């Protein structure tokens, strides 16, 4: 059951990676074939310079991707350690919200990230981390202690937007 919810987060991570890749290839010119029918060599030297705000957003997306990657790793470890009798640690709504935010970002105008999108993505990830922390808070085992430590590290690494 937890693996199903985790798959939404993995899908969200893949969407964010595609969004980053799309931005990098979009900033280069020479996408189409030339008049001779031969595809021109891509030249990124002539691309326009990015504004400070665009660079900050890209940096923020990169940091949020890193956080999501670490979060997925922690959740996979939790699923491996959880017995079949334990309730699911992942909440379907949170995972679906995360995936929907990433889809909206990817389908947005020119696949650009607005500050609003980044705040929503960050807030959703923070909510998932808080919920996971709450669900392992009362457990008193070595894996739970390690998980709480990892989740607190993740919680402290969120960027300001």
């Amino acid at each position: 059951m937890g693996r199903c919810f985790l798959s939404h987060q993995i899908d969200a991570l893949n969407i964010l990676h595609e969004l980053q890749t799309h931005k990098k290839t979009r900033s280069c010119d020479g996408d189409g074939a030339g008049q001779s029918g031969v595809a021109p060599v891509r030249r990124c030297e002539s691309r326009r310079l990015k504004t400070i705000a665009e660079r900050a957003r890209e940096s923020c997306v990169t940091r949020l991707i890193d956080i999501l990657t670490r979060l997925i790793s922690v959740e996979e470890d939790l699923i491996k350690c959880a017995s079949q009798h334990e309730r699911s640690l992942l909440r379907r709504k949170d995972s679906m919200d995360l995936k929907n935010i990433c889809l909206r970002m990817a389908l947005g105008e020119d696949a650009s990230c607005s500050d609003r999108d980044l705040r929503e993505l960050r807030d959703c990830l923070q909510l998932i981390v808080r919920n996971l922390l709450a669900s392992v808070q009362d457990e008193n085992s070595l894996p739970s202690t390690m998980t709480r430590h990892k989740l607190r590290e993740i919680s402290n690494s969120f960027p300001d937007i």
Side-chain angles (χ1 to χ4, degrees):
M1 182 179 237
R3 291 187 193 282
C4 175
F5 303 150
L6 187 58
S7 70
H8 296 300
Q9 295 178 11
I10 293 170
D11 290 344
L13 181 62
N14 290 333
I15 291 166
L16 290 174
H17 278 300
E18 288 177 22
L19 182 65
Q20 264 193 329
T21 302
H22 174 73
K23 283 184 177 187
K24 288 178 184 172
T25 58
R26 189 188 64 193
S27 65
C28 295
D29 64 352
D31 289 339
Q35 290 180 351
S36 64
V38 177
V41 176
R42 289 186 157 204
R43 293 199 180 129
C44 295
E45 302 90 26
S46 64
R47 68 181 175 201
R48 90 177 162 79
L49 295 176
K50 295 177 185 172
T51 65
I52 294 172
E54 289 170 330
R55 287 182 185 191
R57 284 187 202 100
E58 286 179 5
S59 173
C60 192
V61 169
T62 300
R63 288 178 66 190
L64 291 172
I65 287 172
D66 178 60
I67 287 170
L68 180 54
T69 302
R70 292 170 32 209
L71 181 59
I72 288 170
S73 175
V74 168
E75 290 173 329
E76 286 173 336
D77 291 344
L78 281 173
I79 289 171
K80 288 177 192 172
C81 295
S83 71
Q84 293 182 10
H85 302 292
E86 291 182 36
R87 60 185 166 79
S88 175
L89 298 171
L90 303 174
R91 296 174 63 184
R92 181 178 180 90
K93 181 188 180 312
D94 298 340
S95 295
M96 287 297 293
D97 287 348
L98 176 65
K99 184 176 177 181
N100 288 336
I101 291 167
C102 293
L103 282 171
R104 188 182 67 236
M105 288 170 64
L107 296 174
E109 182 180 321
D110 293 329
S112 62
C113 299
S114 68
D115 289 342
R116 179 180 150 253
D117 290 333
L118 292 175
R119 272 192 298 276
E120 284 186 22
L121 179 60
R122 180 202 57 200
D123 293 347
C124 186
L125 288 169
Q126 285 177 324
L127 179 63
I128 292 170
V129 169
R130 280 195 304 268
N131 289 336
L132 285 171
L133 262 171
S135 63
V136 296
Q137 193 65 36
D138 296 330
E139 295 182 30
N140 207 11
S141 65
L142 181 59
S144 295
T145 303
M146 290 173 30
T147 298
R148 282 193 300 273
H149 178 71
K150 289 177 186 177
L151 288 170
R152 285 186 187 115
E153 283 181 347
I154 292 171
S155 183
N156 291 333
S157 67
F158 281 98
D160 292 328
I161 300 174

